Amino acid sequence: MKSAELAVIGGGPAGLCAAVSAAKSGAKVLIIDKNKKLGGQLIKQTHMFFGSEKQYASVRGIDIPDILVNELYKYKENVEIITEAAVVGMYEDGIITVLEKEENYFKLAPEAVVVATGAYEKALSFPNNDLPGIYGAGAVQTLMNVHGVKPGNKVLMVGAGNIGLIVSYQLMQAGVEVKAILDAASKIGGYLVHASKIRRMGVPILTSHTVKEAIGKDFLEKAVICEVDERFNPIAGTEKVFDVDVMCISVGLAPLNELLAMRGCEMKYIPKLSGIVPVRNENYETTVENLFAAGDAAGVEEASAAMVEGYLAGLCAAAKIGYMPKDFSDRKNDYVNQLKNLRSGPAGKHISEGIKQIIGR
């Protein structure tokens, strides 16, 4: 049995910031992450961040993990990191089970836990959607931005949210032709600054369109799309065919929080937070005492917000087990104000309304 004061499950933007915040308060922190390298989705994000200087505005996502890990090293006597390890269970007695490098199985008994497991990509159903050449946006980013591999030569992007728009631009930077971007909604979901950049490069963005089918024998050769009505039903006679060898699916994310449900947290379906999320209080503590959730696991949002939520959850988790820093109120108020600023726009209002449904405010 391994002991720990505070276990942070997930070493992405929320988890790293939670660890930094808790270690700064004096808590001994154990970070558990399934990947070889810490950073989560940040390691594949080559674009510059928005927000403020506190959320690393104008810094590329791929550079942020090193900044946060260097910050962790300031408190290295309080931090332990286990990578290539998957948490496979969380139980009612507070025990966590971990499988490290697919061979070392051990149990952990922490005083508090921050779950920052992120999100998973949603899929899209259509005939032949399992053909080689059809990827999720995260897989395309991993191929290009982590391994330096072009996924193909001609791409159809499905989804005009921020991820779809950003990945489309990254594909073009890598010399891949983006034939079109389509979205079933009547308006694009991403920021106009991203969409404008795409349009200036001559790529059409087709709203109120969906994929009808994929065509190919051993791999993707063509994609058939069509228009949809206001109820998202296909409109006959509106089909278009694209000669492509890659289709990139970017139709949204859903919180990855099975561990929270397994532990017995009260869960609630909140569409504005992209799915089933844990009920929590303003400190990001769930209905299970000393169990906190932050980042996309608590509701899908931008990475900038996930980092601030991590700082807040780590601060409050450390305080809950006895590490109450003198500047607790100042730090907490700063994080709360940062989140308010990040959620000040129309998209942020949508998130804030969802949060009210899980904390009762």
Side-chain angles (χ1 to χ4, degrees), residues 161-333:
N162 281 327
I163 295 176
L165 296 172
I166 288 170
V167 175
S168 293
Y169 188 73
Q170 291 172 353
L171 282 161
M172 288 185 282
Q173 287 179 310
V176 178
E177 181 183 1
V178 178
K179 303 292 286 187
I181 301 171
L182 62 93
D183 201 296
S186 59
K187 296 181 179 179
I188 65 169
Y191 295 143
L192 290 178
V193 64
H194 296 315
S196 298
K197 192 161 51 175
I198 296 293
R199 284 185 171 129
R200 285 197 299 270
M201 298 181 74
V203 177
I205 300 177
L206 308 174
T207 54
S208 298
H209 280 74
T210 192
V211 179
K212 184 176 181 180
E213 67 174 317
I215 297 174
K217 183 179 179 182
D218 298 318
F219 53 86
L220 179 67
E221 298 174 32
K222 297 178 185 292
V224 182
I225 71 170
C226 65
E227 295 180 32
V228 296
D229 61 22
E230 64 277 2
R231 293 180 177 271
F232 302 107
N233 296 313
I235 300 174
T238 63
E239 292 82 3
K240 302 179 185 70
V241 180
F242 288 94
D243 292 321
V244 291
D245 56 358
V246 172
M247 191 187 304
C248 184
I249 309 296
S250 179
V251 292
L253 303 171
L256 186 62
N257 50 35
E258 289 84 352
L259 288 173
L260 293 167
M262 181 181 185
R263 180 60 180 85
C265 297
E266 181 182 348
M267 310 295 286
K268 203 169 183 180
Y269 178 65
I270 307 292
K272 292 179 178 178
L273 298 179
S274 298
I276 298 173
V277 294
V279 173
R280 61 168 178 80
N281 62 23
E282 61 182 10
N283 295 332
Y284 286 80
E285 186 175 18
T286 68
T287 54
V288 173
E289 189 173 9
N290 289 1
L291 178 55
F292 297 74
D296 284 352
V300 176
E301 206 170 348
E302 295 294 321
S304 298
M307 288 189 286
V308 182
E309 286 187 351
Y311 283 129
L312 182 54
L315 173 70
C316 294
K320 189 72 187 294
I321 59 174
Y323 292 96
M324 177 71 73
K326 293 180 180 179
D327 61 350
F328 176 86
S329 294
D330 290 339
R331 286 167 61 186
K332 181 180 177 182
N333 289 336

Side-chain angles (χ1 to χ4, degrees), residues 29-162:
V29 180
L30 172 63
I31 303 173
I32 305 169
D33 192 81
K34 66 179 182 179
N35 298 306
K36 287 185 178 181
K37 184 178 180 180
L38 296 176
Q41 296 302 307
L42 293 173
I43 68 169
K44 59 185 76 171
Q45 295 180 351
T46 58
H47 59 281
M48 292 184 180
F49 271 41
F50 293 137
S52 70
E53 185 178 348
K54 291 181 178 179
Q55 295 104 44
Y56 309 105
S58 300
V59 176
R60 296 188 185 278
I62 55 174
D63 296 325
I64 295 175
D66 287 340
I67 294 173
L68 294 175
V69 169
N70 287 336
E71 188 69 20
L72 269 179
Y73 281 139
K74 293 180 181 179
Y75 315 102
K76 59 184 178 181
E77 67 280 359
N78 285 346
V79 178
E80 181 181 354
I81 299 170
I82 302 177
T83 55
E84 296 182 82
V87 173
V88 293
M90 292 179 65
Y91 302 95
E92 291 182 0
D93 58 2
I95 299 299
I96 294 174
T97 52
V98 182
L99 182 62
E100 182 182 6
K101 295 184 179 178
E102 299 185 355
E103 57 184 30
N104 180 29
Y105 176 84
F106 65 89
K107 295 180 180 180
L108 177 68
E111 295 178 34
V113 180
V114 176
V115 173
T117 44
Y120 65 90
E121 291 184 301
K122 295 178 181 178
L124 187 65
S125 297
F126 52 86
N128 297 322
N129 70 347
D130 59 348
L131 278 172
I134 300 177
Y135 301 93
V140 168
Q141 281 189 303
T142 301
L143 284 171
M144 290 195 305
N145 301 340
V146 178
H147 301 297
V149 175
K150 285 173 61 175
N153 298 303
K154 297 179 181 180
V155 177
L156 176 67
M157 177 64 67
V158 183
N162 281 327

